[in-house]
Amino acid sequence: MALAHAADQRCRAGAASQRFQPSLPRAAQSLRETGQLTIVTIGSSTTAGAGASTDEKSYPAVLQDELRRRLPQAEIRVINRGVGGQSAYDMVSRMETDVFDQAPALVIWQTVAADVVNHIGEDKLAKILKKGIRKVQAAGIDLVMMDLPWLTRAGRYPHYDDYRGVLKTVAAEFSVPVFPRYAMMREWAQSRRFTSEELIGMDGTELVEAGYRCLAIRIADGVAAALTGLRLERPAAPRPTN
């Protein structure tokens, strides 16, 4: 366990400059009143776990394990509703059956990747995202959105930053916290704590297992802190050298 914990610390590289401190009042209330917390993760291939060797190594499965470790007295369920290749519109269309029927207190929405590839238009994307956010908020559920990934081959999508901007602008309009995946992955790559192969698969877009694990750890840090008020776990201080 000590070796695994030490390896996980590199996931937190740059955490101080990529703050993820969501306000999750409904999730906190559920945990306080019932001792239970149900989270639904809805998204495309990152959520489904493309590139992971097993379902247990997808980010939602690791997130469940990490939250259970941090909150051992609570009953935590993380339900994976990822479908590879889906657009934001596809996800909004299935929210009632795939999300709301699970009665979650928190939804983590990973989206926009397919919309970038298909270049649906920034105005159209904004309308779809607003519709989805309104649905979740009207249902009385906390929501976290996920920024797009940092890519080694971002040049193939000339409007990539524009679509990222739409997501962040719409989220801010509705006071929805955004998990800073792009900045986090970029720092990991630039710091050389990870090889590019550890973070992104051969197609240049999909995460692989080391990336999924780190994604889950960083989300778990922020969610657990929001629910309990505890400080985030920090890497151990380096030992002095002689």
Side-chain angles (χ1 to χ4, degrees), residues 11-24 27 39 41 59 63 67 70 106-109 142-147 167 171 175-184 188 214-227 229-234:
C11 299
R12 298 185 173 97
S17 61
Q18 299 136 24
R19 308 293 285 181
F20 177 56
Q21 297 178 314
S23 175
L24 305 175
I39 300 171
T41 60
Y59 107 73
L63 176 61
L67 287 174
R70 289 161 171 74
L106 171 61
V107 169
I108 300 175
W109 188 11
D142 286 333
L143 176 63
V144 168
M145 300 193 75
M146 191 181 295
D147 196 2
L167 186 153
S175 300
V176 174
V178 176
F179 179 74
R181 176 168 52 151
Y182 183 95
M184 178 187 71
W188 288 341
C214 283
L215 183 64
I217 285 171
R218 290 283 286 273
I219 294 173
D221 281 348
V223 169
L227 297 178
L230 297 176
R231 295 175 60 191
L232 301 182
E233 296 184 40
R234 298 295 186 191

Side-chain angles (χ1 to χ4, degrees), residues 1 3-12 52 56-63 65-66 69-70 179 184 188 194 198-199 207-221:
M1 291 297 293
L3 289 176
H5 182 71
D8 288 347
Q9 294 298 354
R10 64 180 179 164
C11 299
R12 298 185 173 97
E56 288 72 25
K57 293 184 178 181
S58 66
Y59 107 73
V62 178
L63 176 61
D65 291 343
E66 289 293 316
R69 183 174 68 82
R70 289 161 171 74
F179 179 74
M184 178 187 71
W188 288 341
F194 296 84
E198 283 183 297
L199 291 176
L207 283 170
V208 290
E209 288 175 6
Y212 285 135
R213 179 162 186 80
C214 283
L215 183 64
I217 285 171
R218 290 283 286 273
I219 294 173
D221 281 348

Side-chain angles (χ1 to χ4, degrees), residues 95-177:
M95 278 187 173
E96 283 79 3
T97 55
D98 280 11
V99 176
F100 302 153
D101 284 358
Q102 304 300 321
L106 171 61
V107 169
I108 300 175
W109 188 11
Q110 171 263 313
T111 190
V112 180
D115 303 292
V116 171
V117 173
N118 296 322
H119 191 23
I120 68 167
E122 296 167 45
D123 290 343
K124 182 176 180 180
L125 175 63
K127 291 177 182 178
I128 295 168
L129 294 180
K130 289 178 182 180
K131 182 176 181 180
I133 292 171
R134 289 189 181 105
K135 280 190 172 188
V136 175
Q137 292 184 336
I141 301 168
D142 286 333
L143 176 63
V144 168
M145 300 193 75
M146 191 181 295
D147 196 2
L148 288 163
W150 173 84
L151 300 179
T152 56
R153 306 176 190 175
R156 71 167 84 170
Y157 305 118
H159 300 282
Y160 196 78
D161 287 341
D162 297 329
Y163 281 84
R164 284 189 61 230
V166 170
L167 186 153
K168 294 174 76 172
T169 297
V170 171
E173 180 181 341
F174 289 85
S175 300
V176 174

